Amino acid sequence: MENNHSEKVQLLIIGSGPAGYTAAIYAARANLKPVLYQGIQPGGQLTITTEVENYPGYADGVQGPEMMVDFEKQAKRMGADVRFGMATAADLSSVPFKITIDEEKIIEAEAVIISTGASARWLNLESEQRLNGYGVSACAVCDGFFFKGQEVVIVGGGDTACEEALYLSKICSTVHMLVRRDEMRASKIMQQRVDKTPNIIVYWNTEAVEVLGKQKVEGVKIKNRKSGEESVIPVKAFFVAIGHTPNSDIFKGQINMDEQGYIKTINGSAKTNIEGVFAAGDVQDKTYRQAVTAAGSGCMAALDAERYLSAKEA
Ligand code: NDP
């Protein structure tokens, strides 16, 4: 039965990062009439990054948000039905799979591609949550501008933290970078760039204990994990860049996942343990997590979905 609150589709794609849009491009070209729901952050994580230098085809580099507009345009040009909306619940127990959009509309799909990506992690300090939006941010590119000429803290020692520290170093007077161990997880090239930037100060073995300030960030209390010594850095902003969590909550208990919530795919494919449900991009990849690998896995998911749907028809 179909009414205003339910709709039958052949292939539903959830998520609008490189994985989702690439799946949509391939599926639309294969005439699967894919419907893609973009989620809360159309374009995904690349919309909060700066320059992407390592996506093949953009010889001079490209801004992340611009690249995602290109992906979306291409998916639409191929005929994908791209819609704004968030998948809020899922029932994968039988075909058609039932996905609830914005808590009201139900999409009944013959096949589903999950490409919901991952979200920024927080330290979960009370002060961090309270001052979120008032100097606390998980996106240097979005919010760095507001702290022009000022001192800021960034937490993390991965590629994201390095990239964001470098970005902030061009805007802010000093970037205090807190790394919890005595080494970074980031690639050598990113670390070298950080080392060569005079206004980034790296604090090794250091954690943030508290973000100070009532209405807005006024400083950060830090602690050396080796000596236990505490001190305060007076800064106007506190950026967190400590990695991501897969956006897989609505599928918990229904599909095979690892202990961190990454959806498990069958090696060399985008297939999950549920026939007809495929996963692509960061929601199933904690190793590579690159735009180009996400796009590649989106392509795999569309091809797997196409084979699944045509075998069903035959
Ligand atoms: P990562 O998981 O690689 O790094 C997370 C960093 O945050 C680590 O230094 C980690 O420390 C630290 N951390 C985690 N939890 C805490 C905590 N509670 N308190 C303090 N520090 C913490 O995440 P990224 O987002 O940096 O990168 C994700 C992936 O994306 C990587 O594969 C990366 O290579 C890639 N990437 C590539 C870029 C590029 O090529 N230009 C740019 C950005 C990302 P510890 O090491 O101790 O666990």
Side-chain angles (χ1 to χ4, degrees), residues 25-75:
I25 292 164
Y26 272 77
R29 292 189 82 243
N31 207 22
L32 299 180
K33 302 188 173 53
V35 170
L36 179 151
Y37 277 94
Q38 291 177 309
I40 210 159
Q41 188 179 19
Q45 289 179 74
L46 277 157
T47 58
I48 53 167
T49 192
T50 39
E51 190 159 4
V52 178
E53 289 179 329
N54 49 12
Y55 198 90
Y58 290 99
D60 301 318
V62 61
Q63 294 296 310
E66 208 179 295
M67 181 163 106
M68 293 325 294
V69 170
D70 286 348
F71 270 63
E72 181 180 350
K73 276 191 199 154
Q74 194 173 353

Side-chain angles (χ1 to χ4, degrees), residues 45 49 51 54 121-123 155-163 178-181 183-187 190 206-207 225 241-244 286-290:
Q45 289 179 74
T49 192
E51 190 159 4
N54 49 12
R121 258 192 226 142
W122 295 97
L123 296 174
V155 184
D159 279 328
T160 305
C162 289
E163 194 179 72
L178 313 185
V179 179
R180 69 174 171 183
R181 290 187 292 137
E183 61 177 356
M184 290 193 194
R185 189 180 287 270
S187 55
M190 295 302 276
T206 301
E207 65 185 29
R225 287 157 59 107
I242 60 166
H244 296 85
K286 61 179 168 192
T287 311
Y288 301 105
R289 296 186 283 198
Q290 300 301 298

